[in-house]
Amino acid sequence: MIHARGLTKTFGPVEAVRGIDLDVSAGEIVGFLGPNGAGKTTTLRMLTTLLRPTSGTATVAGADLFADPTAVRRRIGYVAQGGAFAPFSPVGEELVLQARLYGLNREQARERVTTLLAELDLPEVEERTTATMSGGQKRRLDIAIGLLHRPELLFLDEPTTGLDPQSRANLWEHVRRLRERDGLTVFLTTHYLEEADALCDRVLIIDHGRIVAEGTPDELKSEHGARTLDDVFLAVTGRELREAATA
Amino acid sequence: MTALAALTGHYLRVAFGNRFSLVFSALQPFLYLVLFGPLFDRSGVGSWAVLVPGLLVQLGLTSAGMSGFSIVFDQRFGVLERLRVTPVSRVTLLLGRVLKDSVVLLVQAVAIIVAAYALGLRAPLAGVLTALLLTTVLSVGMASLSYTAALTLRQELFAPVMSTLVVPLMLLSGALLPMSLAPAWLDVVSRLTPFRYAVEGLRALFAGSYASPALLWGVIVSLAFAVLGVTLGTRRFQKENA
Ligand SMILES: Nc1ncnc2c1ncn2[C@@H]1O[C@H](COP(=O)(O)OP(=O)(O)OP(=O)(O)O)[C@@H](O)[C@H]1O
Ligand SMILES: [Mg+2]
């Protein structure tokens, strides 16, 4: 579903991503973990056609990122870290517009929006603007709009940040259900490692723009003699910090 | 096509839902019409039919020219990124907004012409309707360039830069006083701006001189300006894309 080779991105002097190889199969739920500034969002923005890689190649959802970005866009959903709604526009209108941009007519779009909002436990928000909503409600809306067109592959950038435990559990439940029902593939970032442990088939850990560990949560834990993913995370990231401390 | 209609419809609903900004972006030319027009009419320089075409170009600058402001917010709140991951073509993403701006401008222009008529404007209907069409073409270029600027400049710079730029562009177009009065150097500088040709083309239409070279130049320059605007705007929407 995703095959990337040697992806890099530099912003002026900053080497945000320094050569990443990725393979994600259809139906997998893959966690992309790493400290702040490691390059997670930058990688996601490259894979979702929003940012041109400095070098490297990738096929995403069966289409070449460079040769056919439109095909990639048709098949993927993206929930950005920073949200997707302006605070002053009625939510229902934004959702209907978004659905129509994927080719649904007005009626189909409305119907789809109503079903999806119910599935994500967000009834009666259509007339409201996000300015009047709680942080968690807003986040669920961001996720709703990414799922609107039933993508094959969903990119989630810190989807659960700011959600209460109940909503988080609901979201994971929803993601699992979509995987079972539609074979959805999910590539997500999170800073909640126990969550990655519970939800993801496989995790990748990125640090300073490079993948530093990769495997199923259990593999990684036994490989590092760690009890939790948190311990693995601490063992593989911030190596420089530790080296500086012991030197 | 569906996407373009959906986008334009959406932006139009938003625009007409916000009556304040609808009035506000047409306020300057309207004030010139009411508070300066009567003086101009008696100045011996020309009548309403000379002033109103200039005000239409001024309207283009203050209305379509400032439309990029809305995209600054869309960019800040992640709305633009959300639209850019859809399969909709980049030119459609731009044109959805631009067509909205053109419709808004058209409504404002009609309002100004009607008010001018009440104040004493007399011009042939065919000329006025064609002038509206030409103003729309011009507004496509202005709005597109406005979005290009909004996506290129730093967020906080867009409003001050654009509202400052509007003043010399308007003065140089000869919108308020015909450039035939200008000293040679000013006339030359004025000829370097596209709006000069638009103003003179519109004046020809309001005067009913449909065969004048001024009209031909007005049409050519306005069309070229629109094509240039859309090309640059589309390129700006594409930038950074994979
Ligand atoms: N547009 C940009 N211009 C310049 N530098 C950037 C830009 N975007 C990201 N960076 C830099 O690239 C690096 C990686 O950033 P990125 O947003 O990918 O991190 P992240 O892993 O998503 O972090 P977080 O967990 O905090 O969201 C950081 O050093 C960041 O400052
Ligand atoms: Mg990030």
Side-chain angles (χ1 to χ4, degrees):
Chain A
M1 197 47 87
I2 307 176
H3 300 284
R5 289 292 170 272
L7 277 189
T8 70
K9 181 70 197 179
T10 51
F11 298 104
V14 181
E15 292 183 64
V17 175
R18 313 178 187 216
I20 280 191
D21 298 338
L22 275 179
D23 290 285
V24 175
S25 329
E28 259 192 312
I29 300 181
V30 174
F32 194 41
L33 317 177
N36 292 133
K40 301 183 296 296
T41 299
T42 305
T43 304
L44 256 58
R45 294 186 66 227
M46 288 195 281
L47 294 173
T48 53
T49 79
L50 287 169
L51 199 61
R52 176 172 273 280
T54 307
S55 64
T57 58
T59 52
V60 177
D64 187 278
L65 194 57
F66 295 93
D68 199 356
T70 308
V72 173
R73 291 182 189 122
R74 205 169 284 131
R75 297 171 198 161
I76 63 166
Y78 174 51
V79 177
Q81 185 172 359
F85 287 85
F88 36 73
S89 191
V91 162
E93 282 181 27
E94 293 289 333
L95 287 160
V96 169
L97 171 66
Q98 183 82 1
R100 295 195 64 198
L101 296 184
Y102 287 93
L104 270 60
N105 69 30
R106 192 157 253 291
E107 241 161 65
Q108 294 166 326
R110 279 183 203 285
E111 211 177 282
R112 174 77 185 126
V113 167
T114 313
T115 338
L116 187 68
L117 288 179
E119 277 179 29
L120 283 170
D121 223 1
L122 282 163
E124 286 152 27
V125 294
E126 292 184 47
E127 303 294 319
R128 292 167 63 184
T129 65
T130 54
T132 69
M133 291 184 195
S134 78
Q137 289 174 321
K138 270 189 258 187
R139 202 61 190 136
R140 272 182 284 156
L141 266 180
D142 294 334
I143 293 160
I145 209 161
L147 283 169
L148 203 51
H149 57 291
R150 305 184 201 279
E152 298 167 32
L153 167 61
L154 182 63
F155 291 91
L156 298 168
D157 200 353
E158 299 194 23
T160 52
T161 302
L163 292 189
D164 63 42
Q166 178 75 49
S167 312
R168 261 197 263 170
N170 279 352
L171 176 65
W172 296 141
E173 206 36 60
H174 193 70
V175 167
R176 282 204 194 93
R177 209 161 48 228
L178 290 176
R179 191 248 296 261
E180 303 309 317
R181 198 183 68 191
D182 310 333
L184 177 71
T185 309
V186 183
F187 191 71
L188 66 102
T189 76
T190 177
H191 289 299
Y192 300 113
L193 301 190
E194 73 289 3
E195 216 170 57
D197 197 348
L199 184 81
C200 298
D201 306 318
R202 204 150 58 82
V203 299
L204 309 171
I205 303 180
I206 179 176
D207 193 22
H208 294 290
R210 287 206 178 83
I211 307 258
V212 293
E214 176 172 3
T216 67
D218 289 337
E219 278 168 10
L220 284 177
K221 279 183 278 186
S222 65
E223 197 176 304
H224 291 86
R227 211 166 34 79
T228 65
L229 263 190
D230 270 84
D231 297 335
V232 176
F233 187 89
L234 291 173
V236 299
T237 62
R239 196 167 286 150
E240 285 142 36
L241 267 181
R242 269 192 316 281
E243 277 163 10
T246 52
Chain B
M1 213 54 216
T2 330
L4 184 60
L7 281 165
T8 310
H10 175 78
Y11 293 130
L12 277 173
R13 270 191 301 282
V14 175
F16 284 93
N18 187 349
R19 300 277 152 78
F20 173 78
S21 86
L22 213 54
V23 170
F24 192 77
S25 65
L27 195 59
Q28 271 194 39
F30 197 78
L31 290 176
Y32 274 96
L33 179 76
V34 176
L35 304 179
F36 175 70
L39 294 177
F40 184 87
D41 187 40
R42 290 169 155 220
S43 66
V45 174
S47 65
W48 293 99
V50 174
L51 179 65
V52 173
L55 297 185
L56 291 182
V57 169
Q58 184 187 19
L59 175 68
L61 285 166
T62 62
S63 176
M66 294 303 287
S67 53
F69 205 55
S70 63
I71 213 171
V72 171
F73 289 100
D74 276 7
Q75 192 175 30
R76 185 178 310 161
F77 292 114
V79 177
L80 193 59
E81 277 217 333
R82 157 158 65 79
L83 297 175
R84 286 175 64 220
V85 277
T86 68
V88 175
S89 79
R90 311 296 103 166
V91 66
T92 302
L93 289 179
L94 172 71
L95 285 183
R97 291 171 189 271
V98 169
L99 289 185
K100 175 267 294 178
D101 298 319
S102 297
V103 173
V104 166
L105 183 105
L106 206 56
V107 170
Q108 293 170 325
V110 168
I112 284 185
I113 290 171
V114 168
Y117 193 83
L119 289 167
L121 167 72
R122 293 296 174 268
L125 183 65
V128 170
L129 292 178
T130 317
L132 284 173
L133 192 66
L134 188 58
T135 312
T136 308
V137 171
L138 195 67
S139 74
V140 168
M142 288 182 184
S144 300
L145 288 177
S146 185
Y147 291 117
T148 311
L151 294 177
T152 308
L153 294 171
R154 286 218 313 273
Q155 283 184 5
E156 66 277 18
L157 288 184
F158 176 77
V161 168
M162 292 304 276
S163 49
T164 309
L165 207 60
V166 161
V167 177
L169 285 176
M170 196 223 353
L171 292 173
L172 285 174
S173 72
L176 296 182
L177 287 171
M179 275 294 159
S180 51
L181 301 172
W185 69 268
L186 188 57
D187 187 44
V188 170
V189 179
S190 149
R191 281 184 193 285
L192 299 177
T193 72
F195 309 117
R196 159 80 182 262
Y197 303 92
V199 169
E200 289 185 350
L202 291 170
R203 282 192 179 128
L205 285 168
F206 271 67
S209 11
Y210 305 127
S212 79
L215 176 56
L216 184 63
W217 278 113
V219 171
I220 291 173
V221 171
S222 301
L223 280 173
F225 184 66
V227 170
L228 176 79
V230 172
T231 308
L232 290 180
T234 307
R235 232 194 258 164
R236 190 56 254 222
F237 264 80
Q238 249 154 9
K239 201 181 163 212
E240 293 282 279
N241 272 356

mmCIF file with all atom_site columns, all heavy atoms in Angstrom, chain B residues 176-188:
data_model
loop_
_atom_site.group_PDB
_atom_site.id
_atom_site.type_symbol
_atom_site.label_atom_id
_atom_site.label_alt_id
_atom_site.label_comp_id
_atom_site.label_asym_id
_atom_site.label_entity_id
_atom_site.label_seq_id
_atom_site.pdbx_PDB_ins_code
_atom_site.Cartn_x
_atom_site.Cartn_y
_atom_site.Cartn_z
_atom_site.occupancy
_atom_site.B_iso_or_equiv
_atom_site.pdbx_formal_charge
_atom_site.auth_seq_id
_atom_site.auth_comp_id
_atom_site.auth_asym_id
_atom_site.auth_atom_id
_atom_site.pdbx_PDB_model_num
ATOM 1  N N   . LEU B 1 176 ? -9.404  58.168 -11.394 1.00 0.00 ? 176 LEU B N   1
ATOM 2  C CA  . LEU B 1 176 ? -10.076 59.339 -10.825 1.00 0.00 ? 176 LEU B CA  1
ATOM 3  C C   . LEU B 1 176 ? -10.042 60.540 -11.758 1.00 0.00 ? 176 LEU B C   1
ATOM 4  O O   . LEU B 1 176 ? -10.989 61.310 -11.825 1.00 0.00 ? 176 LEU B O   1
ATOM 5  C CB  . LEU B 1 176 ? -9.440  59.703 -9.483  1.00 0.00 ? 176 LEU B CB  1
ATOM 6  C CG  . LEU B 1 176 ? -9.596  58.632 -8.399  1.00 0.00 ? 176 LEU B CG  1
ATOM 7  C CD1 . LEU B 1 176 ? -8.980  59.095 -7.103  1.00 0.00 ? 176 LEU B CD1 1
ATOM 8  C CD2 . LEU B 1 176 ? -11.061 58.265 -8.206  1.00 0.00 ? 176 LEU B CD2 1
ATOM 9  N N   . LEU B 1 177 ? -8.898  60.720 -12.431 1.00 0.00 ? 177 LEU B N   1
ATOM 10 C CA  . LEU B 1 177 ? -8.797  61.799 -13.417 1.00 0.00 ? 177 LEU B CA  1
ATOM 11 C C   . LEU B 1 177 ? -8.115  61.219 -14.649 1.00 0.00 ? 177 LEU B C   1
ATOM 12 O O   . LEU B 1 177 ? -7.123  60.497 -14.514 1.00 0.00 ? 177 LEU B O   1
ATOM 13 C CB  . LEU B 1 177 ? -7.967  62.967 -12.864 1.00 0.00 ? 177 LEU B CB  1
ATOM 14 C CG  . LEU B 1 177 ? -8.643  63.815 -11.790 1.00 0.00 ? 177 LEU B CG  1
ATOM 15 C CD1 . LEU B 1 177 ? -7.644  64.786 -11.169 1.00 0.00 ? 177 LEU B CD1 1
ATOM 16 C CD2 . LEU B 1 177 ? -9.835  64.577 -12.362 1.00 0.00 ? 177 LEU B CD2 1
ATOM 17 N N   . PRO B 1 178 ? -8.607  61.509 -15.842 1.00 0.00 ? 178 PRO B N   1
ATOM 18 C CA  . PRO B 1 178 ? -8.050  60.903 -17.048 1.00 0.00 ? 178 PRO B CA  1
ATOM 19 C C   . PRO B 1 178 ? -6.567  61.233 -17.200 1.00 0.00 ? 178 PRO B C   1
ATOM 20 O O   . PRO B 1 178 ? -6.135  62.348 -16.902 1.00 0.00 ? 178 PRO B O   1
ATOM 21 C CB  . PRO B 1 178 ? -8.857  61.542 -18.182 1.00 0.00 ? 178 PRO B CB  1
ATOM 22 C CG  . PRO B 1 178 ? -10.091 62.052 -17.538 1.00 0.00 ? 178 PRO B CG  1
ATOM 23 C CD  . PRO B 1 178 ? -9.739  62.384 -16.127 1.00 0.00 ? 178 PRO B CD  1
ATOM 24 N N   . MET B 1 179 ? -5.806  60.259 -17.655 1.00 0.00 ? 179 MET B N   1
ATOM 25 C CA  . MET B 1 179 ? -4.369  60.429 -17.811 1.00 0.00 ? 179 MET B CA  1
ATOM 26 C C   . MET B 1 179 ? -4.021  61.387 -18.960 1.00 0.00 ? 179 MET B C   1
ATOM 27 O O   . MET B 1 179 ? -2.860  61.748 -19.120 1.00 0.00 ? 179 MET B O   1
ATOM 28 C CB  . MET B 1 179 ? -3.701  59.070 -18.040 1.00 0.00 ? 179 MET B CB  1
ATOM 29 C CG  . MET B 1 179 ? -3.397  58.342 -16.742 1.00 0.00 ? 179 MET B CG  1
ATOM 30 S SD  . MET B 1 179 ? -2.141  59.237 -15.788 1.00 0.00 ? 179 MET B SD  1
ATOM 31 C CE  . MET B 1 179 ? -2.434  58.597 -14.150 1.00 0.00 ? 179 MET B CE  1
ATOM 32 N N   . SER B 1 180 ? -5.014  61.780 -19.739 1.00 0.00 ? 180 SER B N   1
ATOM 33 C CA  . SER B 1 180 ? -4.745  62.776 -20.784 1.00 0.00 ? 180 SER B CA  1
ATOM 34 C C   . SER B 1 180 ? -4.303  64.106 -20.160 1.00 0.00 ? 180 SER B C   1
ATOM 35 O O   . SER B 1 180 ? -3.684  64.934 -20.813 1.00 0.00 ? 180 SER B O   1
ATOM 36 C CB  . SER B 1 180 ? -5.988  62.978 -21.644 1.00 0.00 ? 180 SER B CB  1
ATOM 37 O OG  . SER B 1 180 ? -7.106  63.236 -20.812 1.00 0.00 ? 180 SER B OG  1
ATOM 38 N N   . LEU B 1 181 ? -4.591  64.288 -18.869 1.00 0.00 ? 181 LEU B N   1
ATOM 39 C CA  . LEU B 1 181 ? -4.176  65.502 -18.164 1.00 0.00 ? 181 LEU B CA  1
ATOM 40 C C   . LEU B 1 181 ? -2.750  65.399 -17.630 1.00 0.00 ? 181 LEU B C   1
ATOM 41 O O   . LEU B 1 181 ? -2.181  66.372 -17.136 1.00 0.00 ? 181 LEU B O   1
ATOM 42 C CB  . LEU B 1 181 ? -5.108  65.770 -16.977 1.00 0.00 ? 181 LEU B CB  1
ATOM 43 C CG  . LEU B 1 181 ? -6.603  65.963 -17.275 1.00 0.00 ? 181 LEU B CG  1
ATOM 44 C CD1 . LEU B 1 181 ? -7.394  66.011 -15.968 1.00 0.00 ? 181 LEU B CD1 1
ATOM 45 C CD2 . LEU B 1 181 ? -6.813  67.232 -18.076 1.00 0.00 ? 181 LEU B CD2 1
ATOM 46 N N   . ALA B 1 182 ? -2.184  64.195 -17.686 1.00 0.00 ? 182 ALA B N   1
ATOM 47 C CA  . ALA B 1 182 ? -0.925  63.955 -16.981 1.00 0.00 ? 182 ALA B CA  1
ATOM 48 C C   . ALA B 1 182 ? 0.280   64.511 -17.720 1.00 0.00 ? 182 ALA B C   1
ATOM 49 O O   . ALA B 1 182 ? 0.285   64.576 -18.939 1.00 0.00 ? 182 ALA B O   1
ATOM 50 C CB  . ALA B 1 182 ? -0.742  62.447 -16.789 1.00 0.00 ? 182 ALA B CB  1
ATOM 51 N N   . PRO B 1 183 ? 1.328   64.922 -16.967 1.00 0.00 ? 183 PRO B N   1
ATOM 52 C CA  . PRO B 1 183 ? 2.613   65.236 -17.597 1.00 0.00 ? 183 PRO B CA  1
ATOM 53 C C   . PRO B 1 183 ? 3.186   63.966 -18.215 1.00 0.00 ? 183 PRO B C   1
ATOM 54 O O   . PRO B 1 183 ? 2.815   62.864 -17.821 1.00 0.00 ? 183 PRO B O   1
ATOM 55 C CB  . PRO B 1 183 ? 3.476   65.728 -16.440 1.00 0.00 ? 183 PRO B CB  1
ATOM 56 C CG  . PRO B 1 183 ? 2.831   65.189 -15.212 1.00 0.00 ? 183 PRO B CG  1
ATOM 57 C CD  . PRO B 1 183 ? 1.374   65.080 -15.511 1.00 0.00 ? 183 PRO B CD  1
ATOM 58 N N   . ALA B 1 184 ? 4.121   64.143 -19.136 1.00 0.00 ? 184 ALA B N   1
ATOM 59 C CA  . ALA B 1 184 ? 4.614   63.010 -19.928 1.00 0.00 ? 184 ALA B CA  1
ATOM 60 C C   . ALA B 1 184 ? 5.116   61.855 -19.075 1.00 0.00 ? 184 ALA B C   1
ATOM 61 O O   . ALA B 1 184 ? 4.779   60.695 -19.312 1.00 0.00 ? 184 ALA B O   1
ATOM 62 C CB  . ALA B 1 184 ? 5.713   63.491 -20.878 1.00 0.00 ? 184 ALA B CB  1
ATOM 63 N N   . TRP B 1 185 ? 5.925   62.155 -18.051 1.00 0.00 ? 185 TRP B N   1
ATOM 64 C CA  . TRP B 1 185 ? 6.519   61.059 -17.273 1.00 0.00 ? 185 TRP B CA  1
ATOM 65 C C   . TRP B 1 185 ? 5.451   60.212 -16.579 1.00 0.00 ? 185 TRP B C   1
ATOM 66 O O   . TRP B 1 185 ? 5.520   58.995 -16.541 1.00 0.00 ? 185 TRP B O   1
ATOM 67 C CB  . TRP B 1 185 ? 7.506   61.598 -16.240 1.00 0.00 ? 185 TRP B CB  1
ATOM 68 C CG  . TRP B 1 185 ? 6.875   62.381 -15.108 1.00 0.00 ? 185 TRP B CG  1
ATOM 69 C CD1 . TRP B 1 185 ? 6.668   63.713 -15.068 1.00 0.00 ? 185 TRP B CD1 1
ATOM 70 C CD2 . TRP B 1 185 ? 6.358   61.852 -13.880 1.00 0.00 ? 185 TRP B CD2 1
ATOM 71 N NE1 . TRP B 1 185 ? 6.041   64.072 -13.898 1.00 0.00 ? 185 TRP B NE1 1
ATOM 72 C CE2 . TRP B 1 185 ? 5.848   62.949 -13.150 1.00 0.00 ? 185 TRP B CE2 1
ATOM 73 C CE3 . TRP B 1 185 ? 6.278   60.574 -13.338 1.00 0.00 ? 185 TRP B CE3 1
ATOM 74 C CZ2 . TRP B 1 185 ? 5.241   62.804 -11.892 1.00 0.00 ? 185 TRP B CZ2 1
ATOM 75 C CZ3 . TRP B 1 185 ? 5.685   60.436 -12.078 1.00 0.00 ? 185 TRP B CZ3 1
ATOM 76 C CH2 . TRP B 1 185 ? 5.176   61.534 -11.376 1.00 0.00 ? 185 TRP B CH2 1
ATOM 77 N N   . LEU B 1 186 ? 4.428   60.904 -16.067 1.00 0.00 ? 186 LEU B N   1
ATOM 78 C CA  . LEU B 1 186 ? 3.367   60.187 -15.359 1.00 0.00 ? 186 LEU B CA  1
ATOM 79 C C   . LEU B 1 186 ? 2.573   59.334 -16.352 1.00 0.00 ? 186 LEU B C   1
ATOM 80 O O   . LEU B 1 186 ? 2.179   58.198 -16.052 1.00 0.00 ? 186 LEU B O   1
ATOM 81 C CB  . LEU B 1 186 ? 2.446   61.185 -14.650 1.00 0.00 ? 186 LEU B CB  1
ATOM 82 C CG  . LEU B 1 186 ? 1.409   60.593 -13.707 1.00 0.00 ? 186 LEU B CG  1
ATOM 83 C CD1 . LEU B 1 186 ? 2.065   59.740 -12.626 1.00 0.00 ? 186 LEU B CD1 1
ATOM 84 C CD2 . LEU B 1 186 ? 0.581   61.698 -13.061 1.00 0.00 ? 186 LEU B CD2 1
ATOM 85 N N   . ASP B 1 187 ? 2.386   59.892 -17.530 1.00 0.00 ? 187 ASP B N   1
ATOM 86 C CA  . ASP B 1 187 ? 1.685   59.164 -18.574 1.00 0.00 ? 187 ASP B CA  1
ATOM 87 C C   . ASP B 1 187 ? 2.434   57.875 -18.920 1.00 0.00 ? 187 ASP B C   1
ATOM 88 O O   . ASP B 1 187 ? 1.831   56.805 -19.062 1.00 0.00 ? 187 ASP B O   1
ATOM 89 C CB  . ASP B 1 187 ? 1.562   60.066 -19.814 1.00 0.00 ? 187 ASP B CB  1
ATOM 90 C CG  . ASP B 1 187 ? 0.703   59.434 -20.882 1.00 0.00 ? 187 ASP B CG  1
ATOM 91 O OD1 . ASP B 1 187 ? -0.375  58.889 -20.533 1.00 0.00 ? 187 ASP B OD1 1
ATOM 92 O OD2 . ASP B 1 187 ? 1.116   59.439 -22.055 1.00 0.00 ? 187 ASP B OD2 1
ATOM 93 N N   . VAL B 1 188 ? 3.756   57.972 -18.986 1.00 0.00 ? 188 VAL B N   1
ATOM 94 C CA  . VAL B 1 188 ? 4.564   56.796 -19.317 1.00 0.00 ? 188 VAL B CA  1
ATOM 95 C C   . VAL B 1 188 ? 4.446   55.739 -18.214 1.00 0.00 ? 188 VAL B C   1
ATOM 96 O O   . VAL B 1 188 ? 4.198   54.562 -18.481 1.00 0.00 ? 188 VAL B O   1
ATOM 97 C CB  . VAL B 1 188 ? 6.048   57.196 -19.519 1.00 0.00 ? 188 VAL B CB  1
ATOM 98 C CG1 . VAL B 1 188 ? 6.924   55.952 -19.619 1.00 0.00 ? 188 VAL B CG1 1
ATOM 99 C CG2 . VAL B 1 188 ? 6.185   58.058 -20.763 1.00 0.00 ? 188 VAL B CG2 1
#
